[in-house]
Amino acid sequence: MKTRDKILLSSLELFNERGERNITTNHISAYLAISPGNLYYHFRNKSDIIYEIYLEYEKLVDYYLQIPDDRPLTLDDLTFYLESVFDGLWSYRFFHRELEFLLDSDQRLREDYRKFTSRCLAAINRIFDGLAEGGVIQPQSEDLRAAMSLNVWLVITNWLAFLKTAHGSELSNDLSLGQLKQGIYQVLTLEIPYLTPEFYRPVMDLREKYRPQLPVVGDERTG
Amino acid sequence: MKTRDKILLSSLELFNERGERNITTNHISAYLAISPGNLYYHFRNKSDIIYEIYLEYEKLVDYYLQIPDDRPLTLDDLTFYLESVFDGLWSYRFFHRELEFLLDSDQRLREDYRKFTSRCLAAINRIFDGLAEGGVIQPQSEDLRAAMSLNVWLVITNWLAFLKTAHGSELSNDLSLGQLKQGIYQVLTLEIPYLTPEFYRPVMDLREKYRPQLPVVGDERTG
DNA sequence: GACTCACTAGAGTATATACTCTAATAATAA
DNA sequence: TTATTATTAGAGTATATACTCTAGTGAGTC
């Protein structure tokens, strides 16, 4: 494998494991057992590494979120979209963790991410449309659909941070892809009231597959 | 005002404005026109400053989220909870921005925040209960209520990050408390399907007050 | 063999960062 | 007054961080 690709791969791995803020270019080169100079031969700076990794992430999610508009959507489609998006989030999980700082530090990233968010929201809207066409959910007003889509986006993009922060140190280091996918349970919760009678059972059964094994949080009470 | 309090106040201000990651202890002392030594006389380290600020935040939200259990809840109660929580989020907005890093760096904070999340979720659950008692929303199964509450939490805690990242640089520097409260629109969207017929109109009217003036994001399409 | 060129090592640098140390001053108590 | 304590200034330090510079190496080409 080319050094350049190794740098990208290892950076992603280290960023995901320990957070971008905790990983310096020196860490990356040390991890790869190459010199800092070598790293800087391939990349102008740390931001460029992050930006390239981001482009991969964006490409991946854009690929997943291609919505056919020549046919209605099925429950299988929905499952695929959800599974895929959470897979993507997991593979590039460092990104959302330090999102605001990263966008503040890199104008390109900021602009690209803004458009990316827009595309994702549009895609979620179209998925709702497609599901309504497919008779899975009831048709909604444009307003409601947009607000719902945004809520779906908020739940999805915040799910990982929630998992990491809502648990003590015990679990946080070995978050599994499985736990991550409990986010799907949360997303499907949003749809329940809008399901058609015909699809109520199938969707609830699907949702059940992602139900958290243990209660997500305890039961502390305010005074 | 005591130097110690000035440090806390200015730190919060600087953290909120420019992000905790971009603010060093030297920045804080320079901003206050005191010496670094002076700052370190009052606080052992940067973490301690952050921790004390966090305690204020926690105290504030805990105070807001006292739920009476001797009476049902009204729509006014709900409005108060929503407004208060978003006010709190705004005043301490730096915190959620760098949440994961902060929790990783400070064991006390991690543990306290975990319990805090738990209390908040419990409070949201009880608000739903109270609203059901008050005839605002229909009673729900415990499972559904818990999942709904979690979604409310996810939407609330992610709303600010969404606003900051979904807009280009134009808006991001002057996010207003007003825009922030459009988050209330999103939260109320979650409740729509569960409203009782009697309260459908009142809640929808309330929600309307927080509707975003401009579409929150554009309409870019995936390929 | 001479030459090119992509690639690499590794020492080095300017700056920033969190934090310390000493000495001094202001406030308060005895 | 004297003693004590709280507070402050400000120079200084060890370390980290992002990044640069010079000097190569080794595979392929003419």
Side-chain angles (χ1 to χ4, degrees):
Chain A
M1 184 186 281
K2 297 220 159 202
T3 302
R4 188 187 161 80
D5 293 327
K6 280 199 265 185
I7 293 172
L8 288 175
L9 210 66
S10 299
S11 298
L12 175 59
E13 189 180 331
L14 291 171
F15 289 162
N16 277 342
E17 290 295 324
R18 299 176 43 203
E20 177 271 339
R21 186 168 176 177
N22 297 315
I23 295 298
T24 71
T25 49
N26 289 343
H27 285 126
I28 299 167
S29 50
Y31 180 79
L32 281 166
I34 65 173
S35 66
N38 194 351
L39 184 147
Y40 278 91
Y41 170 78
H42 289 93
F43 293 93
R44 264 198 9 257
N45 51 40
K46 194 182 172 190
S47 264
D48 276 6
I49 298 176
I50 293 166
Y51 185 62
E52 292 224 13
I53 294 177
Y54 165 74
L55 289 181
E56 287 173 14
Y57 170 54
E58 180 181 306
K59 200 166 138 193
L60 183 72
V61 175
D62 277 341
Y63 172 77
Y64 285 148
L65 286 185
Q66 288 173 302
I67 321 289
D69 36 16
D70 55 343
R71 63 171 179 83
L73 295 182
T74 68
L75 203 48
D76 281 347
D77 290 320
L78 179 61
T79 311
F80 169 81
Y81 293 134
L82 287 170
E83 288 268 352
S84 306
V85 165
F86 276 94
D87 278 339
L89 267 178
W90 176 252
S91 305
Y92 295 86
R93 59 192 178 277
F94 86 94
F95 185 69
H96 282 274
R97 170 175 172 160
E98 328 235 24
L99 185 57
E100 288 190 56
F101 175 82
L102 295 177
L103 299 195
D104 275 352
S105 319
D106 188 334
Q107 192 55 44
R108 294 169 302 180
L109 195 57
R110 174 164 204 90
E111 192 53 29
D112 285 6
Y113 184 75
R114 214 204 76 226
K115 291 181 187 149
F116 174 67
T117 302
S118 231
R119 286 200 302 278
C120 288
L121 282 171
I124 299 173
N125 268 281
R126 288 161 70 198
I127 290 173
F128 275 129
D129 263 355
L131 289 173
E133 274 182 60
V136 179
I137 60 170
Q138 292 146 19
Q140 301 162 335
S141 74
E142 199 178 326
D143 265 16
L144 181 59
R145 183 162 33 77
M148 287 277 300
S149 299
L150 181 46
N151 277 340
V152 167
W153 175 253
L154 292 171
V155 167
I156 289 176
T157 54
N158 203 18
W159 177 246
L160 242 182
F162 169 77
L163 275 184
K164 283 214 65 164
T165 60
H167 292 106
S169 33
E170 336 94 46
L171 274 166
S172 61
N173 276 337
D174 42 68
L175 279 178
S176 65
L177 190 53
Q179 284 177 290
L180 178 66
K181 295 236 172 129
Q182 291 165 9
I184 296 180
Y185 181 86
Q186 290 302 127
V187 173
L188 289 178
T189 300
L190 295 173
E191 329 255 331
I192 296 177
Y194 301 99
L195 297 172
T196 57
E198 185 188 357
F199 276 90
Y200 182 82
R201 262 294 118 221
V203 172
M204 291 303 271
D205 288 347
L206 175 65
R207 175 168 173 268
E208 205 54 35
K209 285 188 200 151
Y210 299 106
R211 173 194 291 271
Q213 300 307 317
L214 296 169
V216 179
V217 286
D219 225 271
E220 337 247 342
R221 296 210 128 204
T222 28
Chain B
M1 183 186 280
K2 298 220 157 202
T3 302
R4 190 189 160 80
D5 293 327
K6 280 198 266 185
I7 293 172
L8 288 174
L9 210 67
S10 299
S11 297
L12 175 57
E13 189 180 330
L14 291 171
F15 290 162
N16 277 342
E17 291 294 324
R18 299 174 46 202
E20 178 270 341
R21 186 168 178 178
N22 297 315
I23 296 297
T24 71
T25 49
N26 290 343
H27 286 125
I28 298 167
S29 51
Y31 180 80
L32 280 167
I34 65 173
S35 65
N38 194 350
L39 184 146
Y40 278 92
Y41 169 77
H42 292 283
F43 294 93
R44 265 197 9 255
N45 51 40
K46 195 183 174 190
S47 264
D48 275 7
I49 298 177
I50 293 166
Y51 184 63
E52 293 225 11
I53 295 176
Y54 164 74
L55 289 181
E56 288 174 13
Y57 170 54
E58 180 182 305
K59 200 167 138 193
L60 184 71
V61 176
D62 277 341
Y63 173 77
Y64 285 149
L65 287 186
Q66 287 173 302
I67 321 288
D69 37 15
D70 55 342
R71 62 171 179 81
L73 295 182
T74 67
L75 204 46
D76 282 347
D77 290 321
L78 179 60
T79 311
F80 169 81
Y81 294 133
L82 288 169
E83 288 267 351
S84 305
V85 164
F86 276 95
D87 278 339
L89 267 178
W90 176 253
S91 304
Y92 296 86
R93 58 192 178 278
F94 86 93
F95 185 70
H96 283 274
R97 171 176 170 160
E98 328 235 25
L99 185 57
E100 288 189 58
F101 175 81
L102 295 177
L103 299 195
D104 275 352
S105 320
D106 188 335
Q107 192 55 43
R108 295 169 302 178
L109 196 55
R110 175 166 204 90
E111 192 52 29
D112 285 5
Y113 184 75
R114 215 204 77 227
K115 291 180 187 151
F116 175 67
T117 303
S118 232
R119 285 201 302 278
C120 289
L121 283 171
I124 299 173
N125 268 282
R126 288 161 71 197
I127 291 173
F128 275 130
D129 262 354
L131 289 173
E133 274 182 60
V136 179
I137 59 170
Q138 293 148 19
Q140 301 161 338
S141 76
E142 200 178 326
D143 265 14
L144 181 59
R145 184 161 36 77
M148 286 277 298
S149 299
L150 182 46
N151 277 340
V152 167
W153 175 254
L154 292 170
V155 167
I156 289 176
T157 54
N158 203 17
W159 177 245
L160 243 182
F162 170 76
L163 274 184
K164 284 214 66 165
T165 59
H167 293 105
S169 33
E170 335 96 45
L171 276 167
S172 62
N173 276 338
D174 44 68
L175 279 178
S176 66
L177 189 52
Q179 285 178 289
L180 178 66
K181 296 235 172 130
Q182 292 165 9
I184 297 180
Y185 181 87
Q186 290 301 128
V187 174
L188 289 178
T189 300
L190 295 173
E191 329 255 331
I192 297 177
Y194 301 99
L195 297 172
T196 57
E198 187 188 355
F199 276 90
Y200 182 81
R201 262 294 118 221
V203 172
M204 292 303 273
D205 288 346
L206 176 65
R207 175 169 173 266
E208 204 54 36
K209 286 188 198 150
Y210 299 105
R211 173 193 291 274
Q213 300 305 318
L214 296 167
V216 179
V217 286
D219 225 270
E220 337 248 342
R221 295 209 130 204
T222 28

